[in-house]
Amino acid sequence: MDWNSIFVTTVKASIGLETVVYALAAIGLNVQFGYAGLLNFGQAAFLGVAAYGLAVTVATFQLPFWLGIVIGLAATVVLAFLLGIPTLRLRADYLAIVTIAAAEIVRLIFRAVKFKDVFGGSDGLQSFSGDFYAMNPYAPGSYGIGSITFTERTMWVLTVGWILVALSCALVYLLMKSPWGRVLKAIREDEDAVRSLGKNVFSYKMQALVLGGIIGCLGGFVFALGQASVQPDLYGTEFTFYAYTIVILGGAARVFSPVVGAAIFWVLLVFIGNTLAEAVGSGVIPSSIMTVSQAGSVRFMLVGLGLMLLLIFRPQGIFGDKREIALDAR
């Protein structure tokens, strides 16, 4: 077995594009779920509308890159209001139902044949990231330490992505230490008590939904630019479920937990997947037991089993507190 290759791939995964994207998605979800107690099962939709807002603006209508960023952000805010206005005055499970349905509706609209001229259908869109890479300060070549290297394009995406992760964590930290953050956590615990003190609970919930969506949409931008393309099926419901897994793994209502959770989640997936593939390829695991093509599915089974054990023996996650996940779905 090539342990060096497994090690290099695993380390690169811990700081790679997927970790950055899911960290941003999970930070936004942590604001909504961890701090405000909002059950948003449509985080993928926020990333999708941001990514497509950028891609459609540049690739379809040939407009400037920065206008695409603004349109993507605006689309995220509009989506948050469309989802929040009819549901945030109701029980928490209504928001869950609406958001999971909305995420699937958004995905199907993006891949609809009728709108293929705009959204590209199931093939998605390309040719919108040129201006972003034109700003790349890295000269052509490889960057890294030893065997752990990245191309100049990947380094530029990761640099921007990790800066956004750091800024998002700093923003969440400052907000949750402020009176606004304390009100938000109080709403999670007992919104009737907060309402009795004269606070506009609906307004605070809406602000949390919008803020979490905006932080998540940054992941959509990074994902689209890192892939240099957008494709509707990348923003399916499993994306949101992975983000929830990351939040719970790290621990809800902890500033840096989504980042650590994202890194651990992808390290486990990549390490287990590569180890199984190498074991099958080298004959350590006979092909009668498992084939290389089955290794990808088995890794999800093993990671899922590990998460089940984590929820049984430490349901609050690695850094969390049991009280942070005791939601009242009224």
Side-chain angles (χ1 to χ4, degrees), residues 159-219:
T159 299
V160 173
W162 282 109
I163 288 174
L164 292 176
V165 169
L167 292 176
S168 299
C169 287
L171 176 64
V172 172
Y173 175 80
L174 293 175
L175 286 176
M176 296 311 157
K177 293 294 183 181
S178 70
W180 183 85
R182 289 193 287 270
V183 172
L184 205 65
K185 288 183 279 189
I187 290 173
R188 179 196 63 205
E189 299 299 331
D190 191 339
E191 66 178 66
D192 290 334
V194 176
R195 191 177 290 110
S196 69
L197 295 174
K199 300 294 184 181
N200 189 334
V201 172
F202 173 78
S203 176
Y204 277 92
K205 284 184 174 182
M206 181 62 73
Q207 292 169 40
L209 186 63
V210 171
L211 177 61
I214 290 176
I215 294 175
C217 90
L218 299 178

Side-chain angles (χ1 to χ4, degrees), residues 1 18 44 86 97 101 126 178 220 246 266 319:
M1 293 177 60
E18 288 80 7
I97 295 169
Q126 298 177 344
S178 70
I246 288 166
W266 282 106
F319 303 108

Side-chain angles (χ1 to χ4, degrees), residues 204-290:
Y204 277 92
K205 284 184 174 182
M206 181 62 73
Q207 292 169 40
L209 186 63
V210 171
L211 177 61
I214 290 176
I215 294 175
C217 90
L218 299 178
F221 290 138
V222 174
F223 202 18
L225 294 170
Q227 301 274 1
S229 65
V230 291
Q231 201 275 334
D233 292 333
L234 294 175
Y235 305 97
T237 51
E238 68 275 6
F239 191 107
T240 302
F241 296 150
Y242 289 168
Y244 263 103
T245 300
I246 288 166
V247 171
I248 296 172
L249 176 63
R254 293 292 183 269
V255 174
F256 297 105
S257 292
V259 182
V260 177
I264 293 175
F265 181 73
W266 282 106
V267 162
L268 288 174
L269 283 180
V270 171
F271 176 76
I272 293 175
N274 288 343
T275 301
L276 289 174
E278 287 284 343
V280 173
S282 61
V284 175
I285 299 178
S287 58
S288 59
I289 297 177
M290 184 192 309

Side-chain angles (χ1 to χ4, degrees), residues 52-123:
Y52 268 89
L54 170 61
V56 169
T57 301
V58 178
T60 304
F61 296 106
Q62 308 300 316
L63 295 173
F65 171 81
W66 290 109
L67 179 60
I69 295 292
V70 173
I71 290 176
L73 289 169
T76 301
V77 175
V78 170
L79 178 63
F81 277 103
L82 289 175
L83 297 179
I85 288 174
T87 60
L88 290 180
R89 298 183 191 276
L90 305 175
R91 296 185 323 191
D93 49 354
Y94 285 98
L95 178 63
I97 295 169
V98 168
T99 50
I100 196 171
E104 193 63 11
I105 290 170
V106 167
R107 185 184 69 84
L108 292 175
I109 290 174
F110 287 154
R111 65 172 297 155
V113 175
K114 185 175 182 179
F115 304 117
K116 187 172 183 178
D117 292 341
V118 178
F119 299 118
S122 59
D123 295 328

